[in-house]
Amino acid sequence: MGFRFETILKLNKNKEDLLQKDMGQINALIQKQQDSQDFMKEIMENKKEELNQKKRGNIDIQTMILYDNFFSGTQIHKKRQETIISEISVKLEEKRKEVIDAMRKRRTLEILKDRQMLKESKLRDKKLLAIQDENASSLWARNH
């Protein structure tokens, strides 16, 4: 006798696998955005250092405006990246909750399956013991 919810258990396992795959893709997207943000931060630090070097020398107003525009643009980019990361993090948290829910459902069915298998095993053992008792009883009756 098989587990009567085996199909549902398999479907739940597949759903959980798909959700985990989705969560992995979201994690990769967050990491990509954070890497981009870190890259921009590194470039900004390098350009600040470069500007400080130029300030020690002779720098014209056009170069200062160019650097100012660059820093303004990177600030806008930084805010955009933070917004994107924030939105993706919300999606990640939602997906994490879905994965946890799917894992909980799967685990519940696995526990039911384990209980059923244990029950069936005990029933088989009981039947086997009854057959052995019957055989022993018949053998004893023949010998006496």
Side-chain angles (χ1 to χ4, degrees):
M1 178 180 215
F3 182 55
R4 62 182 173 158
F5 298 119
E6 189 68 35
T7 304
I8 296 171
L9 178 59
K10 286 179 183 179
L11 286 172
N12 281 356
K13 283 181 182 179
N14 289 339
K15 180 181 178 182
E16 181 183 337
D17 291 343
L18 289 174
L19 289 171
Q20 286 181 342
K21 181 181 175 187
D22 290 347
M23 194 169 87
Q25 290 173 339
I26 293 171
N27 264 330
L29 185 58
I30 285 177
Q31 187 60 49
K32 182 179 175 185
Q33 295 299 322
Q34 287 174 337
D35 289 347
S36 175
Q37 192 176 33
D38 292 343
F39 177 72
M40 288 303 295
K41 187 176 182 180
E42 186 179 320
I43 288 175
M44 201 164 151
E45 291 298 320
N46 290 341
K47 292 301 175 186
K48 281 181 183 178
E49 194 63 35
E50 190 178 295
L51 178 61
N52 287 335
Q53 291 289 330
K54 288 186 180 190
K55 282 182 180 178
R56 291 187 192 122
N58 194 10
I59 187 168
D60 64 347
I61 191 73
Q62 292 298 328
T63 306
M64 290 292 289
I65 292 172
L66 184 64
Y67 275 99
D68 187 53
N69 287 341
F70 171 77
F71 292 133
S72 296
T74 54
Q75 283 297 92
I76 292 169
H77 182 74
K78 180 182 175 187
K79 287 179 183 173
R80 189 177 319 132
Q81 287 299 107
E82 288 172 353
T83 302
I84 290 170
I85 290 171
S86 175
E87 289 173 359
I88 295 172
S89 294
V90 169
K91 289 180 183 178
L92 177 65
E93 194 54 40
E94 290 171 1
K95 193 59 70 172
R96 183 176 285 123
K97 287 177 183 177
E98 287 181 43
V99 168
I100 290 170
D101 187 49
M103 290 171 75
R104 198 172 283 131
K105 287 178 181 178
R106 176 191 47 84
R107 186 65 189 131
T108 301
L109 287 173
E110 286 176 344
I111 289 169
L112 287 174
K113 181 179 180 179
D114 291 344
R115 286 181 184 168
Q116 180 181 345
M117 290 174 67
L118 183 62
K119 184 179 176 182
E120 289 174 3
S121 175
K122 286 181 179 181
L123 185 61
R124 272 193 309 272
D125 291 347
K126 188 175 181 180
K127 286 180 181 179
L128 182 61
L129 186 59
I131 291 171
Q132 289 173 345
D133 285 348
E134 182 66 30
N135 288 341
S137 161
S138 296
L139 186 61
W140 187 83
R142 260 187 275 152
N143 289 337
H144 288 86

